Every structure is written in structure tokens, then in C-alpha cells.
Amino acid sequence: MQLPKTFHFGEHHLTASIAIGIAKGSVKGIISADYIKKIEVSNLRVQNIVAKGDTVYGINTGFGPLCNTKISKEDTKILQSNILQSHSVGVGKPISEELAKLMLILKIHALAKGYSGIAIATINRMLWHLEHDAIPVVPSQGSVGASGDLAPLSHLFLPLIGLGKVNYKGETIITDQLFKKTGLQSLELGPKEGLALINGTQFIAAHGILVLQKLQYCLRHADIIGAMMLEGLQGSMKPFHEELHTLRPFKGNQHVAGRIRTLLQGSEILEDHIDCERVQDPYSLRCMPQVHGASRNTWLHLKELLEVELNSVTDNPVIINDELTISGGNFHGQPLAMALDYAALAASELGSISDRRIYLALEGNSPGVPKLLMGDTGINSGYMILQYTTAALASENKSLCFPASADSIPTSLGQEDHVSMGSISGRKALQIIENVEKILAIELLTAAQAFEFRKPLKSGVVLDEIHKFIRTKVPFADSDRVFANDIEKGIETIQKGEIIALVEQTMAAKNLQWNAPYLEEFETY
């Protein structure tokens, strides 16, 4: 999908791919004159509330259980600075700069819609941080995903008032050092600004963006590597026939079956055993459309919900117009928390079925493929122990699949009596996906080894090119070696998306088209 060169915060429709493009610097994020005016009008409405003395939560009251405590006009600015400090209670390792940058992008977009009462000067400072790559340090733990991601967002915006730390020009420095290097000065936050900054689901949503991106990579790899394993073990093509999947027309199932049909097009290996007596393959081969497809359907569900969230106003209270300010619950993380838990399960299942295919390849039950994928075993253990690693990773993923959103611990003296734990959902989902990348890397190595035993027969042109590419990274194994080195190369190949790029290049060069429906839905985000 072609990304725009310029994106208008608050005004244009944000997608995960555009957010990633802004984070990488390939898309320029700006605010149009019309939306600057909307932001200023909303800020003026807050100033009028303070001037009139109307009691409005978060503008001239305390927060959470202190919502009934009235704050004087003189103290409303102090209140906003205090809330950033008091809520900066995050612990644990910092999140990646990429995630922190995505949080910043998502927050700018939400505030620029003009319903939060924030000053344009505050948003401009946030834009400065984004444009100059001065990215705040944000601890990974501390959010329960209730009044939004309070702790992470507080750390994200401490630098606005001269506190906290930032990653700047390759080093982590305190904000005071940043100010000395750049000539910036601390901002004085106006009424409601502190609350507008820290209320919202941007920590959860930023994790959702990376889950969407990384899980899609895993889904694409799983189809490609699964097709290679099918060839290596001389599996049947019949379970992938289009006619079969029109009888149970789940989008994901149909799409996966079509992708595998395309990858196997023109295969001599398939032709060689088309009349064999084997009745059916084990499920890990035969049911790839159903299992990979179910995970794709889950990915699509996350994509749809995340896109709604990326274009929503999730702070509190929301300034609707001159007469109406609503203290509601748009900050609650439940919509994404449940979807991220679902995505975590979808990722885990990809790893689980991949581990089963690896085990299947080691059994030696496929004609021509030796036990443990090596001819001279006994003195050599072959690929036996690689499956130990995938078993460990698959089991670890199962333990991580308990849904964080199924839990709730009341906070804020009972005012926040139901919380989403969505931040944990997002962190766990990414952890599971990282494990799946490792499992798929090991399947790639074993599939390539099994594939070798089919020579001199050729597969489809795409899979043959992939096999040649893998052999430039990892040689055929006819005796034991330190397989950890091979695995590292496989993981690097998966994480860089080199196989996906090679598939697209080969198909373009050979004028091949995907015989798979729903390309737009599943291949873009």
C-alpha cells in the first residue's frame, strides 16, 4: 500500500501502517490551520469553564477519588503539573524507542481532534520531540489500562515540564540536559492539560500496532514455510482445493489455501506423488488453512478494532461544545485488551502447529526423508534437539496465553473498580510473537533440510528460489554442528522479512499473481 507523504494529525484517517511510517520518518505529520483553530477553540472552552467557576472534573477538581475536591482558580495550573509527577510511577525495563514514538504519534493525533482542551503550544512541543527524535523514556510496567495508560503516559510527558529522561542522539539523558543542548524551556501547563496528556489508551494501542505488524509477518511466513514443509514431506495438495473451502467459507481459510496453491504451482514434487497410496496427511499439514486461517481471522479482527481506536478520542473529560463537557469512560482499555488477548492466542497457535510440523519432519515416515533429517544418525543426533527448543517456546507461549483482560483489581480507592489490564495484554502478545518468530525460523531450517531430499525434482518457482536463498545463509547439514548459529541466521531472516520480499520479487519477475482472495484485507494494515 502506498503511504501518503504528508499526514494531517486530527484530520486524516490514521492506520497502523501510516503511524509506523511517521515513526520511521517516511511520512511527515503536520496539523492544518483548520485543526489548529479547532484545538484553540477547545482550549478556550476550558479557560471559560475556569473563569466561570463551574465545577468540571479534572479542570477544577481533584482526580479519581478526589473528584469532589474543588480546586481554586489559582491552583488549577499547579494541579496539572502535579498530576504528571504523581502519576509517574512506572517500573521495569523501558519500552523500545519505537513504541514510545508510536505513543507520541497516537497522542498527538487524538489531541489534535479538538476535544481535549489542550493548548496548541503543548502539542507543538510534542511535535518538536517527534521531529527531533527526542523520545521520552517510558517504563514498561505500571498501567492497568483503566483511566487509560496513566503511568506510561505520565512518563512520556514529564519532559514537557522539564522532568524525566529522553533518548536523544544515541544517548539517554535527563531532560535538563536536553534543554541545555537545545535551548528549550519547561512548559507551564494550563487547566486540564495534564489530565488530557495522561488519560488515553496510547500505550495499549502502540503495542497493538506492533502486534498487528509482527503478527502479519508471522502469518505470511507460516504459509510460506508450511508450503515448503508440505513439499519436503510430500504432502497432499487436495486439502487446499478451492472447491473444499467454498463449502466452509471463512475468509482466513480461503486466503491461506489460495496462498499455498499459488506457492506450489508448477511443482514437480507434487506431480511425482500425485497417485501415491497415502490417504491423508496429519493435521499439521492438512489443516493449515483452518489453523493459519483462524489466526488470520483473529488478526483481521484486531486490525478493525485497532483502526477505530487509532482515530478515537480516549481522554477524559471530553469537551463537546461550549455547553457540554462529559466525564465518561472512553479511556477504558477493554476493547483493545480483549482483542490483544485474542491475538496472543492466534500467534501462539501458529507456533504450536509449526512445532508439530517440525516433529513430523523428524519422524522419518515420509518416503526418502531420513529420520531426524540426517542420513548418518547414531553418531549424529541430526535435527532432534532443535525441536526441543520449539517445544519449550510453544509451551512458554501457552503459559502466556492466559488472558490479562480476564482479570481486574480495583484501584483509585474503588473509583476505578473495573480495569482492563490491556497494557499487559499488549506486552504479552509481543512476547508470544517473538517466540513464534523463533519457532518459524527453526521450521524454516528443517523444511529446507527436508526439501533437499526431493532433489533433483523441483518445486514451484517461488519455493525453489526460497530454498536457494536459505542455502546462502545455512548449508545443508550432513553431520552435527552448532545449530544455534543456524537458528540465529534463521531468526534474523524472519525478523527482516527477507523471505517475504523474495517471494514478492520472484512473483513479479515471473508475472505470477496470488490465487488468494481477500488480498486487500489481509495484506494491508
Side-chain angles (χ1 to χ4, degrees), residues 408-459:
S408 176
I409 298 176
T411 57
S412 195
L413 303 184
Q415 180 74 7
E416 298 165 11
D417 56 356
H418 182 279
V419 301
S420 75
M421 302 298 182
S423 63
I424 303 169
S425 303
R427 287 171 45 230
K428 288 199 305 100
L430 280 181
Q431 190 176 346
I432 289 170
I433 288 169
E434 288 171 4
N435 286 341
V436 172
E437 289 172 346
K438 297 166 187 173
I439 295 171
L440 289 171
I442 292 173
E443 187 187 359
L444 178 62
L445 301 179
T446 53
Q449 184 77 359
F451 203 83
E452 199 88 30
F453 294 104
R454 297 300 164 209
K455 291 183 176 180
L457 295 175
K458 293 183 178 181
S459 180

Short mmCIF file of all heavy atoms in Angstrom, two decimals, residues 408-459:
data_model
loop_
_atom_site.label_atom_id
_atom_site.label_comp_id
_atom_site.label_asym_id
_atom_site.label_seq_id
_atom_site.Cartn_x
_atom_site.Cartn_y
_atom_site.Cartn_z
N SER A 408 -9.18 -8.24 36.91
CA SER A 408 -9.38 -6.84 37.28
C SER A 408 -9.10 -6.68 38.77
O SER A 408 -9.60 -7.46 39.58
CB SER A 408 -10.82 -6.40 36.98
OG SER A 408 -11.04 -5.08 37.43
N ILE A 409 -8.26 -5.71 39.11
CA ILE A 409 -8.01 -5.37 40.50
C ILE A 409 -8.41 -3.90 40.68
O ILE A 409 -7.85 -3.03 40.02
CB ILE A 409 -6.53 -5.56 40.88
CG1 ILE A 409 -6.12 -7.02 40.72
CG2 ILE A 409 -6.26 -5.09 42.31
CD1 ILE A 409 -4.64 -7.28 40.97
N PRO A 410 -9.39 -3.62 41.54
CA PRO A 410 -9.83 -2.23 41.71
C PRO A 410 -8.69 -1.32 42.16
O PRO A 410 -7.82 -1.71 42.93
CB PRO A 410 -10.91 -2.33 42.80
CG PRO A 410 -11.39 -3.75 42.72
CD PRO A 410 -10.20 -4.56 42.34
N THR A 411 -8.69 -0.09 41.66
CA THR A 411 -7.68 0.90 42.00
C THR A 411 -8.37 2.22 42.36
O THR A 411 -9.60 2.32 42.30
CB THR A 411 -6.71 1.13 40.83
OG1 THR A 411 -7.45 1.52 39.67
CG2 THR A 411 -5.92 -0.14 40.51
N SER A 412 -7.56 3.22 42.71
CA SER A 412 -8.07 4.57 42.99
C SER A 412 -9.15 4.56 44.07
O SER A 412 -10.18 5.22 43.94
CB SER A 412 -8.59 5.20 41.70
OG SER A 412 -8.77 6.58 41.84
N LEU A 413 -8.88 3.81 45.14
CA LEU A 413 -9.80 3.70 46.28
C LEU A 413 -11.19 3.28 45.86
O LEU A 413 -12.19 3.70 46.45
CB LEU A 413 -9.85 5.03 47.05
CG LEU A 413 -8.51 5.57 47.57
CD1 LEU A 413 -8.72 6.84 48.39
CD2 LEU A 413 -7.78 4.51 48.39
N GLY A 414 -11.26 2.44 44.81
CA GLY A 414 -12.55 1.90 44.37
C GLY A 414 -13.25 2.73 43.31
O GLY A 414 -14.24 2.27 42.74
N GLN A 415 -12.75 3.94 43.05
CA GLN A 415 -13.36 4.76 41.98
C GLN A 415 -13.18 4.06 40.63
O GLN A 415 -14.09 4.05 39.81
CB GLN A 415 -12.70 6.14 41.95
CG GLN A 415 -13.23 7.07 40.88
CD GLN A 415 -14.60 7.62 41.21
OE1 GLN A 415 -15.13 7.41 42.30
NE2 GLN A 415 -15.21 8.32 40.26
N GLU A 416 -12.01 3.48 40.44
CA GLU A 416 -11.74 2.70 39.24
C GLU A 416 -11.89 1.22 39.61
O GLU A 416 -10.90 0.51 39.82
CB GLU A 416 -10.35 3.03 38.70
CG GLU A 416 -10.24 4.50 38.31
CD GLU A 416 -8.81 4.97 38.12
OE1 GLU A 416 -7.91 4.11 38.09
OE2 GLU A 416 -8.60 6.18 38.00
N ASP A 417 -13.12 0.78 39.73
CA ASP A 417 -13.39 -0.54 40.30
C ASP A 417 -13.39 -1.67 39.28
O ASP A 417 -13.54 -2.83 39.64
CB ASP A 417 -14.71 -0.54 41.09
CG ASP A 417 -15.89 -0.08 40.26
OD1 ASP A 417 -15.70 0.31 39.09
OD2 ASP A 417 -17.03 -0.10 40.78
N HIS A 418 -13.22 -1.34 38.01
CA HIS A 418 -13.03 -2.38 36.99
C HIS A 418 -12.00 -1.87 36.00
O HIS A 418 -12.21 -0.82 35.37
CB HIS A 418 -14.32 -2.71 36.26
CG HIS A 418 -14.14 -3.82 35.24
ND1 HIS A 418 -13.62 -3.59 33.98
CD2 HIS A 418 -14.37 -5.15 35.31
CE1 HIS A 418 -13.54 -4.73 33.32
NE2 HIS A 418 -13.99 -5.69 34.10
N VAL A 419 -10.89 -2.58 35.87
CA VAL A 419 -9.82 -2.16 34.97
C VAL A 419 -9.56 -3.24 33.93
O VAL A 419 -9.91 -4.40 34.12
CB VAL A 419 -8.54 -1.83 35.77
CG1 VAL A 419 -8.82 -0.73 36.79
CG2 VAL A 419 -7.97 -3.06 36.46
N SER A 420 -8.91 -2.84 32.82
CA SER A 420 -8.81 -3.75 31.66
C SER A 420 -7.55 -4.60 31.65
O SER A 420 -7.53 -5.66 31.03
CB SER A 420 -8.85 -2.93 30.36
OG SER A 420 -7.61 -2.27 30.14
N MET A 421 -6.48 -4.14 32.28
CA MET A 421 -5.17 -4.79 32.21
C MET A 421 -4.69 -4.92 30.76
O MET A 421 -3.89 -5.79 30.42
CB MET A 421 -5.18 -6.18 32.87
CG MET A 421 -5.60 -6.16 34.33
SD MET A 421 -4.47 -5.20 35.36
CE MET A 421 -5.20 -5.44 36.99
N GLY A 422 -5.16 -4.02 29.89
CA GLY A 422 -4.82 -4.10 28.47
C GLY A 422 -3.35 -3.90 28.17
O GLY A 422 -2.84 -4.39 27.17
N SER A 423 -2.66 -3.16 29.03
CA SER A 423 -1.22 -2.97 28.81
C SER A 423 -0.49 -4.31 28.90
O SER A 423 0.46 -4.56 28.16
CB SER A 423 -0.65 -2.00 29.85
OG SER A 423 -0.78 -2.54 31.16
N ILE A 424 -0.94 -5.16 29.81
CA ILE A 424 -0.34 -6.49 29.97
C ILE A 424 -0.70 -7.35 28.76
O ILE A 424 0.14 -8.12 28.27
CB ILE A 424 -0.80 -7.13 31.29
CG1 ILE A 424 -0.44 -6.23 32.47
CG2 ILE A 424 -0.19 -8.52 31.47
CD1 ILE A 424 -1.06 -6.65 33.79
N SER A 425 -1.93 -7.21 28.27
CA SER A 425 -2.33 -7.94 27.05
C SER A 425 -1.38 -7.63 25.90
O SER A 425 -0.93 -8.54 25.19
CB SER A 425 -3.75 -7.55 26.65
OG SER A 425 -4.68 -7.80 27.66
N GLY A 426 -1.07 -6.35 25.71
CA GLY A 426 -0.19 -5.95 24.61
C GLY A 426 1.22 -6.44 24.79
O GLY A 426 1.85 -6.95 23.84
N ARG A 427 1.75 -6.33 26.00
CA ARG A 427 3.12 -6.77 26.26
C ARG A 427 3.26 -8.28 26.08
O ARG A 427 4.24 -8.76 25.50
CB ARG A 427 3.54 -6.35 27.67
CG ARG A 427 3.80 -4.85 27.80
CD ARG A 427 4.00 -4.41 29.25
NE ARG A 427 4.88 -5.31 29.95
CZ ARG A 427 4.61 -5.86 31.15
NH1 ARG A 427 3.46 -5.60 31.76
NH2 ARG A 427 5.47 -6.66 31.73
N LYS A 428 2.29 -9.03 26.57
CA LYS A 428 2.32 -10.49 26.43
C LYS A 428 2.21 -10.91 24.97
O LYS A 428 2.87 -11.84 24.52
CB LYS A 428 1.20 -11.15 27.24
CG LYS A 428 1.40 -11.11 28.73
CD LYS A 428 0.57 -12.12 29.49
CE LYS A 428 -0.90 -12.03 29.21
NZ LYS A 428 -1.39 -13.01 28.25
N ALA A 429 1.36 -10.24 24.22
CA ALA A 429 1.18 -10.59 22.81
C ALA A 429 2.49 -10.43 22.05
O ALA A 429 2.86 -11.28 21.23
CB ALA A 429 0.08 -9.73 22.18
N LEU A 430 3.21 -9.34 22.30
CA LEU A 430 4.50 -9.15 21.63
C LEU A 430 5.51 -10.20 22.04
O LEU A 430 6.30 -10.68 21.22
CB LEU A 430 5.05 -7.75 21.94
CG LEU A 430 4.47 -6.59 21.15
CD1 LEU A 430 5.13 -5.27 21.56
CD2 LEU A 430 4.63 -6.80 19.65
N GLN A 431 5.49 -10.58 23.31
CA GLN A 431 6.41 -11.61 23.79
C GLN A 431 6.14 -12.95 23.10
O GLN A 431 7.06 -13.65 22.68
CB GLN A 431 6.27 -11.77 25.31
CG GLN A 431 7.32 -12.64 25.97
CD GLN A 431 7.18 -12.67 27.48
OE1 GLN A 431 6.47 -11.83 28.07
NE2 GLN A 431 7.83 -13.62 28.12
N ILE A 432 4.86 -13.29 22.96
CA ILE A 432 4.48 -14.53 22.28
C ILE A 432 4.93 -14.49 20.82
O ILE A 432 5.47 -15.47 20.30
CB ILE A 432 2.96 -14.75 22.40
CG1 ILE A 432 2.58 -15.13 23.84
CG2 ILE A 432 2.48 -15.82 21.41
CD1 ILE A 432 1.10 -15.14 24.11
N ILE A 433 4.70 -13.37 20.16
CA ILE A 433 5.07 -13.24 18.74
C ILE A 433 6.57 -13.39 18.56
O ILE A 433 7.03 -14.04 17.60
CB ILE A 433 4.56 -11.90 18.18
CG1 ILE A 433 3.03 -11.94 18.03
CG2 ILE A 433 5.21 -11.59 16.82
CD1 ILE A 433 2.39 -10.61 17.74
N GLU A 434 7.37 -12.84 19.47
CA GLU A 434 8.82 -13.01 19.38
C GLU A 434 9.20 -14.49 19.49
O GLU A 434 10.12 -14.95 18.80
CB GLU A 434 9.50 -12.20 20.48
CG GLU A 434 9.46 -10.69 20.22
CD GLU A 434 9.95 -9.89 21.41
OE1 GLU A 434 10.40 -10.50 22.41
OE2 GLU A 434 9.90 -8.65 21.34
N ASN A 435 8.51 -15.23 20.32
CA ASN A 435 8.76 -16.67 20.42
C ASN A 435 8.35 -17.39 19.14
O ASN A 435 9.03 -18.33 18.70
CB ASN A 435 7.99 -17.26 21.61
CG ASN A 435 8.61 -16.90 22.94
OD1 ASN A 435 9.77 -16.52 23.02
ND2 ASN A 435 7.84 -17.02 24.01
N VAL A 436 7.25 -16.97 18.55
CA VAL A 436 6.78 -17.60 17.30
C VAL A 436 7.78 -17.36 16.18
O VAL A 436 8.03 -18.24 15.35
CB VAL A 436 5.38 -17.08 16.92
CG1 VAL A 436 4.96 -17.57 15.53
CG2 VAL A 436 4.35 -17.53 17.95
N GLU A 437 8.37 -16.17 16.13
CA GLU A 437 9.40 -15.90 15.12
C GLU A 437 10.53 -16.93 15.22
O GLU A 437 11.05 -17.40 14.20
CB GLU A 437 9.95 -14.49 15.32
CG GLU A 437 8.98 -13.38 14.96
CD GLU A 437 9.48 -12.00 15.35
OE1 GLU A 437 10.44 -11.90 16.13
OE2 GLU A 437 8.89 -11.01 14.86
N LYS A 438 10.90 -17.28 16.43
CA LYS A 438 11.98 -18.25 16.65
C LYS A 438 11.54 -19.65 16.22
O LYS A 438 12.33 -20.39 15.61
CB LYS A 438 12.40 -18.24 18.12
CG LYS A 438 12.98 -16.91 18.57
CD LYS A 438 13.07 -16.82 20.09
CE LYS A 438 13.50 -15.43 20.53
NZ LYS A 438 13.44 -15.26 22.00
N ILE A 439 10.31 -20.00 16.54
CA ILE A 439 9.80 -21.31 16.13
C ILE A 439 9.77 -21.42 14.61
O ILE A 439 10.20 -22.42 14.02
CB ILE A 439 8.40 -21.57 16.72
CG1 ILE A 439 8.45 -21.66 18.26
CG2 ILE A 439 7.79 -22.85 16.15
CD1 ILE A 439 7.08 -21.68 18.92
N LEU A 440 9.25 -20.38 13.96
CA LEU A 440 9.17 -20.39 12.49
C LEU A 440 10.57 -20.44 11.87
O LEU A 440 10.76 -21.08 10.81
CB LEU A 440 8.41 -19.16 12.00
CG LEU A 440 6.90 -19.16 12.26
CD1 LEU A 440 6.30 -17.80 11.93
CD2 LEU A 440 6.20 -20.25 11.46
N ALA A 441 11.53 -19.80 12.50
CA ALA A 441 12.91 -19.86 11.99
C ALA A 441 13.43 -21.29 12.01
O ALA A 441 14.10 -21.74 11.06
CB ALA A 441 13.80 -18.95 12.83
N ILE A 442 13.11 -22.01 13.07
CA ILE A 442 13.56 -23.41 13.16
C ILE A 442 12.81 -24.28 12.16
O ILE A 442 13.39 -25.18 11.54
CB ILE A 442 13.40 -23.92 14.61
CG1 ILE A 442 14.39 -23.18 15.52
CG2 ILE A 442 13.61 -25.43 14.69
CD1 ILE A 442 14.23 -23.48 16.99
N GLU A 443 11.52 -24.02 11.97
CA GLU A 443 10.80 -24.77 10.94
C GLU A 443 11.38 -24.49 9.56
O GLU A 443 11.47 -25.38 8.71
CB GLU A 443 9.30 -24.46 10.94
CG GLU A 443 8.55 -25.38 9.98
CD GLU A 443 7.08 -25.07 9.78
OE1 GLU A 443 6.57 -24.11 10.40
OE2 GLU A 443 6.43 -25.79 8.99
N LEU A 444 11.77 -23.25 9.32
CA LEU A 444 12.39 -22.90 8.04
C LEU A 444 13.64 -23.76 7.79
O LEU A 444 13.84 -24.28 6.69
CB LEU A 444 12.75 -21.42 8.04
CG LEU A 444 13.46 -20.88 6.80
CD1 LEU A 444 12.60 -21.04 5.56
CD2 LEU A 444 13.84 -19.41 7.01
N LEU A 445 14.45 -23.94 8.83
CA LEU A 445 15.67 -24.74 8.69
C LEU A 445 15.34 -26.21 8.43
O LEU A 445 15.96 -26.85 7.57
CB LEU A 445 16.52 -24.62 9.95
CG LEU A 445 16.99 -23.21 10.34
CD1 LEU A 445 17.80 -23.26 11.63
CD2 LEU A 445 17.81 -22.57 9.23
N THR A 446 14.37 -26.74 9.16
CA THR A 446 14.02 -28.15 8.98
C THR A 446 13.31 -28.39 7.66
O THR A 446 13.52 -29.43 7.01
CB THR A 446 13.15 -28.64 10.16
OG1 THR A 446 12.03 -27.77 10.33
CG2 THR A 446 13.94 -28.67 11.46
N ALA A 447 12.47 -27.44 7.26
CA ALA A 447 11.79 -27.59 5.96
C ALA A 447 12.81 -27.56 4.82
O ALA A 447 12.71 -28.33 3.86
CB ALA A 447 10.76 -26.48 5.78
N ALA A 448 13.80 -26.67 4.93
CA ALA A 448 14.84 -26.60 3.90
C ALA A 448 15.65 -27.89 3.85
O ALA A 448 16.03 -28.36 2.76
CB ALA A 448 15.76 -25.41 4.17
N GLN A 449 15.90 -28.50 5.01
CA GLN A 449 16.64 -29.76 5.06
C GLN A 449 15.83 -30.89 4.42
O GLN A 449 16.35 -31.68 3.62
CB GLN A 449 16.97 -30.10 6.52
CG GLN A 449 17.83 -31.32 6.72
CD GLN A 449 19.31 -31.11 6.42
OE1 GLN A 449 19.72 -30.02 6.04
NE2 GLN A 449 20.11 -32.17 6.59
N ALA A 450 14.52 -30.96 4.75
CA ALA A 450 13.66 -31.98 4.15
C ALA A 450 13.54 -31.77 2.65
O ALA A 450 13.53 -32.72 1.86
CB ALA A 450 12.28 -31.95 4.81
N PHE A 451 13.44 -30.53 2.25
CA PHE A 451 13.31 -30.14 0.85
C PHE A 451 14.47 -30.68 0.02
O PHE A 451 14.32 -31.06 -1.14
CB PHE A 451 13.29 -28.60 0.80
CG PHE A 451 12.64 -27.99 -0.41
CD1 PHE A 451 11.26 -27.83 -0.46
CD2 PHE A 451 13.40 -27.55 -1.47
CE1 PHE A 451 10.66 -27.23 -1.56
CE2 PHE A 451 12.81 -26.96 -2.57
CZ PHE A 451 11.43 -26.80 -2.61
N GLU A 452 15.64 -30.70 0.66
CA GLU A 452 16.87 -31.13 -0.03
C GLU A 452 16.76 -32.57 -0.54
O GLU A 452 17.32 -32.92 -1.58
CB GLU A 452 18.05 -31.03 0.94
CG GLU A 452 19.40 -30.99 0.29
CD GLU A 452 19.84 -29.58 -0.07
OE1 GLU A 452 19.44 -28.62 0.63
OE2 GLU A 452 20.58 -29.45 -1.05
N PHE A 453 16.03 -33.40 0.19
CA PHE A 453 15.94 -34.82 -0.16
C PHE A 453 15.00 -35.07 -1.35
O PHE A 453 14.85 -36.22 -1.78
CB PHE A 453 15.50 -35.63 1.06
CG PHE A 453 16.53 -35.64 2.16
CD1 PHE A 453 16.36 -34.87 3.30
CD2 PHE A 453 17.69 -36.40 2.05
CE1 PHE A 453 17.30 -34.86 4.31
CE2 PHE A 453 18.64 -36.40 3.06
CZ PHE A 453 18.45 -35.62 4.19
N ARG A 454 14.36 -34.03 -1.85
CA ARG A 454 13.48 -34.18 -3.02
C ARG A 454 14.24 -33.93 -4.33
O ARG A 454 13.68 -34.09 -5.41
CB ARG A 454 12.29 -33.21 -2.92
CG ARG A 454 11.39 -33.48 -1.73
CD ARG A 454 10.81 -34.87 -1.78
NE ARG A 454 10.26 -35.31 -0.50
CZ ARG A 454 10.19 -36.55 -0.11
NH1 ARG A 454 10.67 -37.51 -0.89
NH2 ARG A 454 9.68 -36.87 1.05
N LYS A 455 15.47 -33.48 -4.24
CA LYS A 455 16.24 -33.25 -5.46
C LYS A 455 16.49 -34.57 -6.21
O LYS A 455 16.58 -35.62 -5.57
CB LYS A 455 17.58 -32.60 -5.09
CG LYS A 455 17.44 -31.17 -4.59
CD LYS A 455 18.81 -30.55 -4.31
CE LYS A 455 18.67 -29.10 -3.90
NZ LYS A 455 19.97 -28.47 -3.61
N PRO A 456 16.52 -34.57 -7.52
CA PRO A 456 16.59 -33.41 -8.41
C PRO A 456 15.24 -32.81 -8.80
O PRO A 456 15.19 -31.91 -9.64
CB PRO A 456 17.29 -33.98 -9.64
CG PRO A 456 16.78 -35.39 -9.69
CD PRO A 456 16.67 -35.84 -8.25
N LEU A 457 14.14 -33.33 -8.20
CA LEU A 457 12.84 -32.76 -8.51
C LEU A 457 12.78 -31.30 -8.04
O LEU A 457 13.38 -30.94 -7.02
CB LEU A 457 11.73 -33.56 -7.83
CG LEU A 457 11.54 -35.01 -8.30
CD1 LEU A 457 10.50 -35.71 -7.43
CD2 LEU A 457 11.14 -35.04 -9.77
N LYS A 458 12.04 -30.50 -8.77
CA LYS A 458 11.89 -29.09 -8.42
C LYS A 458 10.50 -28.82 -7.88
O LYS A 458 9.53 -29.49 -8.24
CB LYS A 458 12.15 -28.21 -9.64
CG LYS A 458 13.58 -28.23 -10.12
CD LYS A 458 13.76 -27.26 -11.29
CE LYS A 458 15.22 -27.25 -11.75
NZ LYS A 458 15.42 -26.29 -12.86
N SER A 459 10.42 -27.84 -7.02
CA SER A 459 9.12 -27.37 -6.54
C SER A 459 8.64 -26.25 -7.46
O SER A 459 9.18 -26.07 -8.56
CB SER A 459 9.25 -26.88 -5.10
OG SER A 459 8.01 -26.43 -4.61
#
